[in-house]
Amino acid sequence: MRINTNVASLTAQESAANTNKAVSSSLEKLGSGLRINKAADDASGMSIADKLRTQASSVGQGISNANSASALIQIADKAMAEQSNILDTVKSKLIQASTSTTSAEGRESVRKDISKLLEQFDNIASQTNYNGTTLLQKDATTTTKQDELSFQLGENQTFDVNVQASKASNTVSLGGGSDTITTADNIGVGESLQIKTDALITISDTDVDVDGVDTTGTLGLDLNVSGKMGQVTANDGDLTIDATNQSTEIIEALDAMALQSVIDGGDFSGTNGTYTIASGGVADFGDLDFSAVQLTGAAAEDTIELNGAAIAGTILTITNNNADTTKPNKGQLDIAGTGMTGGNLLSDLKNLAADGLTAEKANSFMATIDEALSQLNTNRSDFGSTQNQLESSIRNMQTTQTNLKAAESVIRDVDYAAESANFNKQNIISQAGTYAMSQANASQQNIMRLLQ
């Protein structure tokens, strides 16, 4: 029997220390509700649970994004609904103005009323926004259509939901596309013409003589084109294309075209939104849908051709950017072609001069209203389809998030029934260990009998 080293006591102390750690760990789990409070509790389980938690958190943010996107679309939809009401009212007033029982004074009152209504139509387009993002046109002052909106609904790009209206919902973009154009059609300085065509059209700056004043060809071409141009030919001089205001996707496509053209020795060159079609050259833009791309001719009396034969039902809006109005009809553009249909935009009706609304004019603008309503409904349909997609995504993500949290809970959360049983076991063992240490210390007292 030895006194200096009480092995029995040391063994009991070691067991008691281990048991106390187990009791402490069990109390921590019962107190926190978590089976894994530190990596040492379950290293691999913690790694899996943390990954599931991150995924569930990302899905939760996606749900928040989708709800915000749905609210955005609702704002746009309600705004376009009011615009549709305005167009309904305008058409009723045009019908009123087109009948012979309405006097010239009455038509002038109708014209003023229509102008105010369409002014409000544009106010809606410029002011409708979500958190500063204008929804019905590019921005508060730019009347071209808004760039594609993208709503991130998950960790991966494949969960993006995209929407883009086919046209801006303002008087500069809507209307037209109703009247058949059989002869050359003139576009004055600052004016726009909307054309539906799947044929070849020619645009030139061959201005006409008025009252003996020569106004021909000193400005060159300067115009904006919105829509799908198809093949573009620069007949008489280099044609400069300013696409710096286009979307990133369009600029990347144009850069790729220019690079391929350089490799193949073609006619199209440039980069980063600024390009040139060499004189006599052709560039095929295929299905690219431009938003007010600027075309500028390098020489006077240039002529360019836009060939949309391969693009069925394409709609082009052409705006004359020439600004020299010092002579009658100076800077006018001529459009010629076959198989084209076009018509007045809502802006032409909005900006009618005093006493400019005749019965015939009122009747001709009814087709413009019908076309504008059709285009506006197409926009609403695009937004509505996206909202349905968003709502479906929200339901799916809510289910996904619930299942992810359930999977994490299985790994991370404590099972109170099992852990309370474990705690009681460890607590009893701890009490037994304390008794064992007292007995180990007491057994040493037996040595004293040997020394008596």
Side-chain angles (χ1 to χ4, degrees), residues 303-319:
T303 300
I304 62 172
E305 295 176 352
L306 309 181
N307 189 353
I311 310 171
T314 186
I315 300 175
L316 296 178
T317 301
I318 300 172
T319 304

Side-chain angles (χ1 to χ4, degrees), residues 39 113 157 308 314 337 381:
D113 200 5
Q157 286 299 113
T314 186
S381 177

Side-chain angles (χ1 to χ4, degrees), residues 75 117 175 220 306 375 418:
I75 291 172
L117 285 168
L306 309 181
Q375 293 161 352

Side-chain angles (χ1 to χ4, degrees), residues 146-161:
Q146 177 59 274
D147 295 334
E148 189 169 66
L149 301 173
S150 180
F151 311 127
Q152 184 74 29
L153 305 187
E155 297 176 278
N156 306 314
Q157 286 299 113
T158 53
F159 287 96
D160 275 2
V161 176

Side-chain angles (χ1 to χ4, degrees), residues 175-180 194 196 341-344 364 366-371:
S178 302
D179 304 324
T180 300
Q194 190 176 79
K196 283 184 179 179
T341 57
N344 296 314
S364 69
M366 290 183 196
T368 299
I369 299 298
D370 290 339
E371 188 71 20

